[in-house]
Amino acid sequence: NLYPKETEKSHATVTNGLSLNKLNPVDNYDTRGLSYEWCKGEIGQQVSVMFRKKGYVFGGHYHRGDDPSKNPEIFLLLHGSCNLIAYPNLTFPAVDVTFGPMTEAIIQPDTWHILRALTDITLIEYRRTPFDKHKPDTYQIDIRQLLPT
C-alpha cells in the first residue's frame, strides 16, 4: 500500500444548509499516484477553477437557488486550507469550519456564506448551467441584519 488506506467516503453534514465531504482516492494501491472522482454521474455544463491567495476573503452572500448551479452550490478544495462561516436558512447561530484539500463543500440555498483562504488555495466549482453574469443568483446582505433584536 503506497498511501494511507481510507475505507469509505468521509461524510460530515455540518447542518441542514452545509455539508463537507472528504473525498477518498479511487485506488490507494495505484503506483501512478492517487486519482479522485468528483461529481460522477452528474450532468454539468461548466467547471470553474479559482486560485485565491492566502488571506483573501470571498463570498459574503447567499443564493436563493433560482440558478440550478446554486441549488445547491458545490465546490471542491483541491489545494490549501479554507475557513468557511455559514448561516443556514439565514439564521443564527453560525457554522464555523476549517477544511483542507480534497474536501467538497455543498452549500444549500439561503445559506449566507463567507470563506477565507488560510493558505494559497485552488478550488473548482461544479456548475449544472453556464454562468450568466446577468442572472448570478447571488445576494449580498450585511450579516448584522440577521442579528436577533
Side-chain angles (χ1 to χ4, degrees):
N1 183 0
L2 300 175
Y3 305 97
K5 178 128 177 92
E6 297 181 31
T7 56
E8 59 187 58
K9 184 176 181 180
S10 172
H11 177 77
T13 300
V14 179
T15 69
N16 62 352
L18 171 68
S19 297
L20 296 177
N21 302 306
K22 178 78 173 164
L23 299 184
N24 293 322
V26 174
D27 180 358
N28 284 318
Y29 299 96
D30 193 331
T31 58
R32 300 170 296 174
L34 297 177
S35 296
Y36 295 82
E37 294 177 342
W38 183 57
C39 296
K40 189 173 183 174
E42 296 284 340
I43 299 172
Q45 296 189 19
Q46 180 177 328
V47 173
S48 299
V49 180
M50 292 160 269
F51 302 93
R52 299 292 182 259
K53 297 203 176 281
K54 178 182 178 180
Y56 186 75
V57 176
F58 55 106
H61 59 245
Y62 70 99
H63 310 283
R64 292 184 183 150
D66 299 329
D67 176 351
S69 294
K70 302 298 183 183
N71 191 6
E73 179 176 22
I74 303 172
F75 65 85
L76 176 65
L77 183 64
L78 296 176
H79 169 78
S81 64
C82 248
N83 174 247
L84 169 63
I85 298 173
Y87 293 85
N89 299 314
L90 301 175
T91 60
F92 284 83
V95 176
D96 186 334
V97 293
T98 298
F99 57 99
M102 299 313 297
T103 302
E104 169 188 62
I106 302 172
I107 302 170
Q108 297 298 328
D110 296 322
T111 298
W112 186 92
H113 52 283
I114 193 165
L115 295 99
R116 176 187 304 274
L118 300 176
T119 63
D120 287 353
I121 63 169
T122 305
L123 58 92
I124 57 176
E125 179 184 2
Y126 170 82
R127 294 192 51 85
R128 292 171 188 85
T129 57
F131 179 71
D132 180 350
K133 68 180 180 181
H134 301 292
K135 294 190 267 180
D137 190 14
T138 299
Y139 301 91
Q140 302 291 330
I141 187 172
D142 181 345
I143 199 63
R144 294 172 292 185
Q145 293 176 2
L146 301 179
L147 286 170
T149 55

